[in-house]
Each structure stands twice: as C-alpha cells, then as structure tokens.
Amino acid sequence: MKGSRILSVILACVVALGLAGLTGCVGGKTDVGDGYEISNQRIGAEEGSSLSYIQCTVKNTCGREETFLVTFDLFDKNGTKIGTAFGNAEDVPDGQTADLNALIIPDNMDNFLEIGNMVDSWDLSGVGFMKAETAAAQAGAEEAMRQLEEEQRIKELLGRN
C-alpha cells in the first residue's frame, strides 16, 4: 500500500511537470503568423560570447523554402522599450524548423554588455520573407526592363515610317 502511494505521488509529479512544459512554462513563448511559427523563445548567449540573444525555433509554414528575417522589441521590467533583437534563418524548407539567434542591440549603447540582464519581456515586431521579397523585386525589375524594351521598339518603328 505504501509503495503504491509513493508511486502515485511520483506519477503525479511527472504529469505536473509534463503539463508545465505543454503550457509554455518551460521553453518560452510562441508566436504564430501567416507562414511561420516562432517557438521556444528565450534569452541566452552563444558559448564563449558575452553577447545576448533571443534564441528561438522558426518553423516554416509558408509553402516554399524561405529565408526569414525576425525582429523583436525588448522591454525592461517597467515596460519601457530598451532595445531590439535581429536574426535570420536561411533557406528553411517548407514544414521544417531552424534555430535562430536574434542579436540583442540596446537602444542605449552604454548598456551593450548588460542588456541581456535588463530585458524583462519582448514582443515579436516583424517577420520578413526574404526570398519572396527578393523574387518580387526581381519580377518588378524584369517588368521595368520589358517596358523599356517595348518603348525602344516603338521608337524604332516610328523612326522607320
């Protein structure tokens, strides 16, 4: 009887820890948007570095391989914006994940080395789809070239008549 009670207590503890992980207490918060999911957000540092990062996992849900540019606004315990974090994950296949380290840059550069300890919270402020933006810019440039070529042909035709 005593052994089954101990086993029940251990089982209850394991279940409680598992539920804590599922509710986001362990592993940081998650942001979901059109084409992405950014999860496991936490502050950390790369080994051997004094720089601070928002470390997270980016999941590509946009339907194509994509390079993501991610920015976060950083706040102190009073809710005052104190910096921004920037990072990217290159060539993430659709449906796959990649680790991302967004470098924390303080608004006041005097706080550069201490900023990681000053951040109390953060909000995702932007997600850019670099391949889509590059493709759109390239398509715009190609259309402009087609228009110039068409104008040149018209000028040539008018000059011949």
Side-chain angles (χ1 to χ4, degrees):
M1 188 74 160
K2 185 176 181 179
S4 65
R5 183 167 167 80
I6 291 172
L7 186 58
S8 295
V9 170
I10 291 171
L11 183 59
C13 289
V14 168
V15 169
L17 289 172
L19 290 176
L22 292 175
T23 59
C25 295
V26 177
K29 66 181 186 175
T30 298
D31 286 296
V32 177
D34 190 18
Y36 64 88
E37 178 180 302
I38 301 174
S39 61
N40 299 318
Q41 299 172 28
R42 64 209 174 276
I43 293 184
E46 289 183 337
E47 194 172 321
S49 174
S50 59
L51 301 176
S52 296
Y53 296 86
I54 300 287
Q55 298 175 320
C56 58
T57 302
V58 176
K59 182 175 183 180
N60 180 355
T61 61
C62 72
R64 65 184 176 282
E65 181 178 89
E66 189 57 79
T67 293
F68 295 89
L69 176 61
V70 177
T71 58
F72 297 93
D73 288 333
L74 312 170
F75 304 94
D76 66 12
K77 64 183 176 185
N78 298 319
T80 303
K81 184 177 177 295
I82 58 172
T84 306
F86 303 93
N88 70 307
E90 295 182 13
D91 302 327
V92 182
D94 182 46
Q96 300 296 309
T97 62
D99 292 332
L100 183 142
N101 287 334
L103 179 63
I104 294 176
I105 307 292
D107 289 343
N108 179 349
M109 292 308 281
D110 292 338
N111 298 326
F112 193 78
L113 295 178
E114 297 85 26
I115 188 69
N117 297 323
M118 298 169 65
V119 176
D120 184 65
S121 64
W122 57 88
D123 288 328
L124 181 66
S125 56
V127 176
F129 297 87
M130 300 308 292
K131 287 189 175 194
E133 292 170 12
T134 301
Q138 184 175 358
E142 289 171 359
E143 178 60 27
M145 285 300 295
R146 278 193 290 275
Q147 287 179 357
L148 285 173
E149 290 170 356
E150 184 65 26
E151 288 175 11
Q152 185 63 32
R153 278 184 267 181
I154 291 170
K155 286 180 184 179
E156 289 174 4
L157 287 172
L158 290 175
R160 290 185 184 161
N161 290 337

